[in-house]
Amino acid sequence: MKKSISTIIKHSSFSKINRSANPAVVRASTILFDSMQELASHEKKILLDKPITHYAYGRYGSQTTIELQKIVKELEQAHHVFLHSTGFGSVSLAFMALCQSGDEVLVGDNVYYPTREITEKLLPKYNIKTKYYDPNNIKDLESKITKKTKLIFVENPGSITFEFQDLIEIIKLAKKNNIITAMDNTWGTPLYFKPLLLGFDVSISSATKYFSGHSDAMGGTLAVNKKTYSKVKFCDKLLGSRLSADEAYLIIRGIRTLDVRLKAHYENTTKIVNFLKKQKKIKEVLYPHKPGSKNYKMWKKYYTGATGLLSVLIKAKSKASVLKFVNKLELFGIGYSWGGFESLAIYHDVSKSRNFYKFEKNEHLVRIHVGLEDSKDLIADLKNSLKYIK
Ligand SMILES: *Cc1c(COP(=O)(O)O)cnc(C)c1O
């Protein structure tokens, strides 16, 4: 029977070990074998990529992480999924595994700030050069491709500024020039967009966000196609970033309701966006909501849904008054990360980490995560705080 993904994420990984509806949390470093021969044959199975129920050593994972790998593999329609202790662990592995000395990488100008730090500060140590491309201009990307370009790293939509790119055009250019493509897909999750099915070689999600969904666990997933599997496997093993069984358990528990939660985030966000776009103090809502806009068209072309993260562009003479707007919100917590059940707001100054995004004078960005609270309460809270903006 062909099952829908909503069913798969609920039913996958029913435990055969303890008969509970959920997998057991298997914490282990040492794994015991009956004999040296059994150990050797197990190692051989792993080497040949045969299906296994457990690893030979805890660093590579446990029964619990294998269950999470299975679920994410279905979600991503991947050849294989690697798990890491944070989303950022997955991002850095992509660069370390896919590039080497002498290579060039092309990175969207609007990537998550720590990703930019890797390319600015870590990759030069290994003689890998980064060029940033304008996410709103495919010609700019094309003009920066050289014979040395090994990887194009895309984050879609862009961090904080939420530009949506014409992804298939990027893939076409990459294929033509024999370049590997990786996408950070944390915003949309593989429920709403599957990068590998479109033609990306690598798809990354911070499992800390919507997969876990409860702001109490961290993890990262890196899904690969056949072409990149061996390269990534090699580095994944040697760099030693491992997801614990406890975090894997929490992420599995979160993923069970990914579809239901995302639908609720989307419904709430639509209501909040409809309120925000009518506010005079808000110049623009950075979210795919205007049918005539490029961002909306590109979102519609690739995604089957939208999630709860957006930014508002505020025009105000006083930065202090925008900070006050954020501080006075009662239901929106101030803090990093997002994707949990709760609403968040944070002031971001991205002007120093962008080459292409042009800020006008007196423009301020506040990033908002719309949680699962009652939207009427959230709107009342926003309305109350907006009055502080001057
Ligand atoms: C949070 C985030 C990451 C990093 O994930 P962590 O789990 O916090 O390490 C990477 N990319 C994007 C787009 C993110 O939002």
Side-chain angles (χ1 to χ4, degrees):
M1 183 171 68
K2 194 168 166 1
K3 295 185 220 79
S4 113
I5 195 70
S6 283
T7 305
I8 290 169
I9 59 180
K10 310 232 172 7
H11 275 247
S12 165
S13 84
F14 275 176
S15 179
K16 290 176 194 69
I17 307 163
N18 60 359
R19 291 183 174 246
S20 60
N22 287 293
V25 178
V26 178
R27 302 186 187 94
S29 54
T30 300
I31 311 293
L32 298 174
F33 292 86
D34 287 341
S35 64
M36 283 308 298
Q37 286 80 350
E38 195 206 359
L39 196 157
S41 87
H42 193 79
E43 292 279 26
K44 201 167 165 195
K45 256 199 218 165
I46 291 172
L47 206 67
L48 297 173
D49 290 327
K50 296 259 167 68
I52 49 161
T53 53
H54 57 94
Y55 287 99
Y57 183 45
R59 193 196 301 134
Y60 308 124
S62 73
Q63 279 97 330
T64 323
T65 59
I66 289 173
E67 295 306 329
L68 177 58
Q69 276 173 316
K70 280 189 209 155
I71 301 175
V72 179
K73 194 174 159 179
E74 293 276 359
L75 268 169
E76 295 270 15
Q77 296 288 298
H79 176 68
H80 188 81
V81 173
F82 298 93
L83 302 176
H84 305 106
S85 51
T86 64
F88 201 56
S90 297
V91 171
S92 50
L93 178 71
F95 286 103
M96 298 315 283
L98 300 169
C99 311
Q100 61 187 48
S101 175
D103 287 345
E104 288 181 4
V105 296
L106 270 167
V107 176
D109 191 45
N110 54 0
V111 292
Y112 179 63
Y113 182 64
T115 304
R116 196 174 177 108
E117 277 191 299
I118 293 184
T119 58
E120 279 177 354
K121 297 172 188 166
L122 184 69
L123 296 187
K125 282 176 55 162
Y126 300 99
N127 188 31
I128 299 163
K129 187 177 163 187
T130 302
K131 290 178 182 168
Y132 304 99
Y133 71 86
D134 180 353
N136 284 320
N137 183 0
I138 188 88
K139 290 265 175 293
D140 182 58
L141 171 66
E142 188 170 11
S143 73
K144 286 173 179 160
I145 292 174
T146 71
K147 284 204 168 59
K148 290 183 179 169
T149 310
K150 183 59 73 63
L151 171 71
I152 299 176
F153 190 98
V154 178
E155 184 174 327
N156 206 65
S159 239
I160 323 277
T161 40
F162 297 95
E163 301 87 349
F164 284 80
Q165 304 174 59
D166 201 346
L167 303 170
I168 195 72
E169 297 304 321
I170 298 176
I171 291 170
K172 277 189 208 156
L173 275 178
K175 293 220 154 112
K176 198 170 100 189
N177 293 283
N178 203 18
I179 300 166
I180 293 168
T181 46
M183 176 167 160
D184 183 335
N185 186 39
T186 304
W187 183 88
T189 85
L191 195 68
Y192 287 160
F193 173 63
K194 298 190 194 319
L196 298 178
L197 286 193
L198 191 73
F200 280 96
D201 298 300
V202 173
S203 165
I204 294 164
S205 278
S206 164
T208 308
K209 312 291 166 55
Y210 285 122
F211 284 8
S212 110
H214 293 77
S215 304
D216 56 0
M218 296 195 82
T221 68
L222 191 151
V224 295
N225 60 10
K226 229 174 179 162
K227 184 173 137 192
T228 48
Y229 169 67
S230 301
K231 266 193 174 168
V232 175
K233 185 183 174 185
F234 171 76
C235 262
D236 176 72
K237 186 175 175 208
L238 294 181
L239 291 178
S241 162
R242 159 191 182 269
L243 184 70
S244 79
D246 293 274
E247 309 280 293
Y249 179 85
L250 288 171
I251 293 164
I252 291 171
R253 189 157 79 168
I255 283 189
R256 301 282 191 219
T257 56
L258 182 67
D259 53 338
V260 183
R261 283 184 291 108
L262 285 190
K263 209 166 145 216
H265 280 289
Y266 183 30
E267 278 170 17
N268 254 10
T269 307
T270 304
K271 288 177 194 152
I272 304 285
V273 166
N274 282 339
F275 165 78
L276 289 170
K277 72 183 187 195
K278 289 188 213 119
Q279 305 308 308
K280 281 204 194 75
K281 288 172 179 174
I282 292 176
K283 194 179 162 196
E284 211 178 328
V285 182
L286 307 180
Y287 192 75
H289 70 96
K290 275 190 285 189
S293 68
K294 182 195 167 210
N295 280 341
Y296 183 89
K297 283 183 201 146
M298 289 303 124
W299 165 70
K300 199 82 191 154
K301 184 169 172 184
Y302 297 107
Y303 292 75
T304 56
T307 59
L309 194 71
L310 59 110
S311 286
V312 286
L313 190 61
I314 295 166
K315 191 118 190 171
K317 285 215 175 79
S318 151
K319 177 179 172 182
S321 79
V322 181
L323 297 180
K324 194 163 181 184
F325 157 68
V326 175
N327 292 344
K328 286 284 181 185
L329 288 165
E330 274 180 37
L331 300 176
F332 292 77
I334 299 171
Y336 288 121
S337 201
W338 48 277
F341 55 87
E342 80 286 24
S343 290
L344 298 166
I346 194 162
Y347 184 98
H348 270 288
D349 180 2
V350 295
S351 58
K352 285 176 200 71
S353 57
R354 298 291 167 91
N355 299 343
F356 294 99
Y357 195 93
K358 291 284 170 275
F359 280 93
E360 285 173 26
K361 212 171 156 229
N362 298 329
E363 276 184 357
H364 307 269
L365 273 178
V366 174
R367 190 184 74 179
I368 291 172
H369 180 247
V370 178
L372 302 175
E373 300 91 343
D374 189 315
S375 60
K376 286 194 225 69
D377 294 337
L378 294 177
I379 289 170
D381 194 21
L382 286 164
K383 200 171 190 171
N384 179 55
S385 264
L386 275 167
K387 66 176 187 247
Y388 294 101
I389 296 176
K390 291 196 185 88

